[in-house]
């Protein structure tokens, strides 16, 4: 805690947790190190995230696989997190850094809320996330890139909105749906065929799971539904009521239906 | 050349304490009550936006009386302390005891070393899984700290209000009961029997926030309509 006696507090006052860390504890920031020369050892990578809008909200889903080169590093990793009550984010790229940036972003939003007594606007949140990704640019240049996807419910317009980013922190608003990660090209193809305007929440969950299924089918770094270990994608929906994690039971049923329908069709691709 | 007058340390500290006490006594009061449902925090406060009660962390809330700019800077510093600690260790490692001792150090340092002591009195409340695990710390302007049992009353008419609360407080109170008791106690010097729900600022630390609301964050600010509803439903 800063000593209230050290001069005017107002000059130090900030509503941003990241700025506070930058000043008082820069070593705690995930992206504030200067890396030594040399090649970065391989580390777990998180891959495919899909997000799509539906009637009254937005949804985000991520598979459960992390890879390190051609090895599966984890079958249980979670890549989609609630950021605050009305927003979620998914992460692709270097898993260790991405998880730390997520944690920092969660604290950033909660910190603002507590200091100011009000929530940040959705675009305000999206911009803060962009600034963090820009902060990570030196690490990205060394091969440790983190690419998030951000979705939330905009209280003002009353709709779900989607934002994608590049490694420089550039923020782009996406319409309808988007996907990031190595399996995203395949997921995008699936989303283009499956997504329709005004999907219901249940339909939207099924579309997201099927898009991830298609990504897992063609991308070795994306994990499909795993009935042996009872592992299903992590899916969050966000609407006027806030965010909600879709229960495993529902996901198991949806994944079961998709696998069954594909088996019945009996097609190779 | 002007002569520097000698003032004994006793006299210096006494003057400062008197000064701070006077400042605090001018303000309206705050009541923090531990009850069966959690911890209720109620302040007589006509402003809907300048708060005397605030959220610090998952299970920890803050209440203050005295000078707004001084306790607001302490509240913000507390939020920063808690967030840095929770981020660098874990959310579980943020405790009211840790926060209260940092506040005590800051207040003590300002009291002895600065021109003017802080004219504030603070309460740090942490809700536990059971009522025995609740913590209520009361901090005064000179950095002294007290671990209170059951309830804390601070501010202008603290003694009078405290008498009313201690007469009727019991651990089995629910939120509605605690609120009613606080409204009655805060009206100590008024004509009315109890303050109307619109004249106070109220918040709760919900003991069952995980199971009821699915949220680690136990703090919930009550709007005037929430208060009215709470007071009528269990009347």
């Amino acid at each position: 805690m800063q000593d209230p006696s050290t001069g005017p507090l107002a000059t130090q006052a900030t509503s941003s947790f990241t700025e506070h860390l930058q000043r008082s504890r820069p070593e705690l920031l995930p992206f504030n190190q200067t890396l030594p020369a040399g090649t970065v050892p391989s580390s777990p990578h998180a891959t495919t995230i899909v997000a799509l809008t539906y009637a009254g909200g937005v949804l985000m889903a991520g598979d459960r696989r992390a890879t390190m080169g051609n090895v599966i590093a984890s079958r249980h990793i979670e890549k989609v997190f609630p950021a605050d009550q009305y927003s979620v984010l998914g992460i692709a790229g270097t898993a260790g850094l991405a998880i730390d940036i997520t944690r920092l972003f969660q604290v950033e939003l909660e910190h603002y809320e507590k200091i100011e007594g009000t929530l940040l606007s959705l675009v305000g949140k999206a911009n803060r996330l962009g600034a963090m990704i820009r902060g990570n640019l030196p690490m990205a240049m060394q091969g440790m890139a983190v690419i998030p996807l951000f979705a939330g419910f905009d209280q003002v317009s009353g709709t779900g909105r989607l934002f994608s980013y590049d490694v420089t922190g550039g923020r782009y608003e996406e319409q309808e749906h988007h996907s990031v990660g190595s399996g995203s090209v395949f997921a995008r193809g699936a989303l283009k065929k499956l997504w329709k305007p005004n999907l219901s929440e249940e339909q939207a969950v099924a579309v997201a799971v099927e898009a991830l299924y298609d990504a897992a089918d063609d991308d070795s770094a994306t994990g499909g539904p795993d009935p042996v270990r009872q592992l299903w994608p992590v899916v969050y929906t966000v609407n006027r009521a806030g965010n909600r994690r879709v229960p495993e039971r529902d996901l198991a049923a949806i994944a079961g239906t998709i696998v069954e329908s594909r088996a019945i069709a009996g097609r190779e691709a | 050349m002007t002569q520097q007058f000698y003032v004994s340390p006793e006299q210096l500290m006494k003057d400062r304490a008197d000064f701070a006490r006077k400042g605090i006594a001018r303000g309206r009061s705050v009541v923090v009550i531990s009850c069966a449902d959690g911890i209720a925090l109620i302040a007589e406060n006509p402003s809907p936006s300048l708060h005397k009660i605030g959220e610090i962390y998952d299970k920890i809330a803050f209440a203050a009386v005295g000078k707004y700019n001084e306790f607001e800077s302490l509240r913000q510093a507390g939020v920063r302390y808690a967030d840095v600690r929770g981020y660098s260790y874990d959310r579980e490692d943020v405790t009211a005891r840790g926060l209260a001792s940092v506040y005590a150090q800051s207040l003590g340092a300002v009291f002895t070393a600065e021109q003017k002591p802080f004219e504030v009195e603070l309460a740090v409340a942490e809700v536990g899984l059971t009522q025995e695990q609740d913590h209520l710390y009361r901090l005064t302007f000179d950095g002294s700290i007290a671990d209170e049992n059951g309830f804390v009353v601070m501010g202008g008419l603290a003694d009078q209000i405290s008498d009313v609360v201690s007469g009727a407080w019991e651990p089995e109170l629910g939120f509605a009961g605690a609120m009613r008791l606080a409204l009655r106690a805060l009206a100590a010097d008024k004509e009315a029997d109890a303050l109307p729900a619109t004249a106070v600022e109220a918040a709760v630390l919900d003991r069952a926030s995980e199971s009821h609301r699915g949220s680690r964050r136990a703090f919930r600010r009550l709007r005037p309509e929430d208060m009215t509803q709470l007071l009528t439903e269990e009347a």
Side-chain angles (χ1 to χ4, degrees):
Chain A
M1 175 150 115
Q2 58 201 7
D3 184 357
S5 64
T6 54
L9 262 175
T11 58
Q12 302 178 37
T14 166
S15 306
S16 164
F17 182 69
T18 316
E19 269 170 40
H20 174 62
L21 280 190
Q22 195 94 52
R23 282 181 210 161
S24 61
R25 304 284 300 277
E27 76 283 2
L28 290 180
L29 287 174
F31 41 71
N32 213 16
Q33 302 105 26
T34 40
L35 294 181
T39 47
V40 176
S42 71
S43 53
H45 273 64
T47 46
T48 312
I49 306 292
V50 300
L52 55 131
T53 58
Y54 62 89
V58 61
L59 166 160
M60 192 176 289
D63 72 301
R64 302 293 293 272
R65 181 174 289 182
T67 53
M68 205 157 78
N70 62 346
V71 172
I72 296 175
S74 170
R75 294 187 170 88
H76 297 83
I77 191 176
E78 298 194 357
K79 314 167 185 180
V80 180
F81 305 91
D84 69 352
Q85 202 187 342
Y86 294 106
S87 62
V88 290
L89 87 158
I91 42 147
T94 312
L97 268 177
I99 289 168
D100 267 9
I101 289 177
T102 304
R103 227 156 56 83
L104 180 63
F105 185 58
Q106 289 168 330
V107 180
E108 173 86 15
L109 298 187
E110 191 186 314
H111 186 78
Y112 182 93
E113 186 188 334
K114 288 190 289 195
I115 296 279
E116 300 276 328
T118 167
L119 286 171
L120 208 51
S121 68
L122 187 67
V123 177
K125 293 175 200 171
N127 285 337
R128 286 309 302 166
L129 183 57
M132 284 182 194
I133 299 305
R134 185 170 304 119
N136 191 52
L137 186 58
M139 307 284 268
M141 305 283 280
Q142 306 260 347
M144 297 202 280
V146 174
I147 300 293
L149 192 56
F150 181 65
F153 184 79
D154 189 336
Q155 312 272 42
V156 181
S157 67
T159 54
R161 294 169 72 181
L162 259 178
F163 298 91
S164 73
Y165 297 84
D166 62 28
V167 279
T168 64
R171 170 180 71 77
Y172 312 97
E173 180 157 8
E174 303 290 344
Q175 309 298 322
E176 302 175 356
H177 51 73
H178 196 71
S179 177
V180 294
S182 62
S184 62
V185 276
F186 310 111
R188 283 295 288 280
L191 285 172
K192 282 185 183 178
K193 299 288 176 279
L194 297 172
W195 187 88
K196 285 186 281 302
N198 288 316
L199 287 172
S200 71
E201 191 170 296
E202 299 82 73
Q203 289 170 323
V205 175
V207 166
V209 174
E210 190 155 359
L212 282 177
Y213 184 92
D214 281 331
D217 208 30
D218 285 320
D219 173 38
S220 62
T222 304
D226 189 338
V228 175
R229 298 180 185 84
Q230 292 285 302
L231 290 177
W232 321 107
V234 174
V235 186
Y236 276 90
T237 61
V238 196
N239 54 27
R240 192 173 292 283
N243 64 46
R244 182 180 76 96
R245 186 170 176 160
V246 179
E248 302 256 297
R249 191 166 12 91
D250 300 4
L251 293 168
I254 289 165
T257 314
I258 292 168
V259 173
E260 206 176 307
S261 68
R262 300 248 171 153
I264 290 166
R267 288 161 52 184
E268 171 51 32
Chain B
M1 208 173 105
T2 49
Q3 182 85 38
Q4 189 100 52
F5 285 110
Y6 174 75
V7 183
S8 73
E10 286 93 341
Q11 189 57 45
L12 195 67
M13 293 303 149
K14 192 178 165 299
D15 288 351
R16 287 181 175 198
D18 287 345
F19 170 80
R21 251 185 234 113
K22 262 185 223 156
I24 294 163
R26 274 196 295 272
R28 295 187 171 91
S29 303
V30 173
V31 183
V32 182
I33 301 178
S34 162
C35 58
D37 298 343
I39 297 175
L41 305 103
I42 306 100
E44 188 183 355
N45 183 6
S47 166
S49 55
L50 299 175
H51 299 306
K52 295 179 156 199
I53 297 168
E55 175 183 14
I56 299 280
Y57 211 63
D58 293 351
K59 308 285 170 206
I60 305 173
F62 168 99
V65 292
K67 262 190 111 183
Y68 180 80
N69 67 331
E70 292 176 350
F71 67 67
E72 175 66 7
S73 74
L74 287 166
R75 182 188 71 85
Q76 295 195 358
V79 170
R80 289 196 185 103
Y81 162 83
D83 279 347
V84 170
R85 201 172 162 89
Y87 176 72
S88 57
Y89 297 112
D90 185 67
R91 297 193 80 96
E92 270 180 43
D93 300 308
V94 182
T95 60
R97 204 202 62 83
L99 178 68
S101 81
V102 180
Y103 275 144
Q105 286 169 32
S106 302
L107 287 166
V110 171
F111 183 75
T112 48
E114 296 293 309
Q115 277 282 320
K116 164 191 122 42
F118 274 5
E119 296 159 68
V120 295
E121 210 170 326
L122 314 178
V124 174
E126 178 177 9
V127 69
L129 288 172
T130 63
Q131 200 164 14
E132 291 73 52
Q133 291 167 358
D134 283 358
H135 291 293
L136 295 178
Y137 296 102
R138 176 213 197 100
L139 294 134
T140 46
F141 51 84
D142 58 355
S144 38
I145 175 168
D147 190 345
E148 302 277 352
N149 200 4
F151 62 89
V152 175
V153 179
M154 307 179 297
L157 298 161
D159 291 340
Q160 268 174 277
I161 296 171
S162 188
D163 287 345
V164 180
V165 178
S166 65
W169 181 80
E170 46 191 320
E172 296 81 32
L173 284 175
F175 278 142
M179 294 288 174
R180 264 195 289 273
L181 173 58
L183 292 177
R184 194 149 50 82
L186 286 172
D189 64 330
K190 312 274 190 307
E191 308 284 287
D193 290 342
L195 285 182
T198 46
V200 297
E201 174 194 351
V204 296
L205 282 170
D206 202 338
R207 202 182 298 288
S209 65
E210 268 100 352
S211 52
H212 286 179
R213 285 185 287 133
S215 161
R216 282 184 303 232
R217 292 166 70 182
F219 185 86
R220 187 159 54 95
R221 195 176 287 289
L222 302 181
R223 291 164 299 167
E225 55 267 33
D226 298 331
M227 277 285 280
T228 320
Q229 196 194 349
L230 183 70
L231 292 173
T232 47
E233 80 188 8
E234 287 178 53

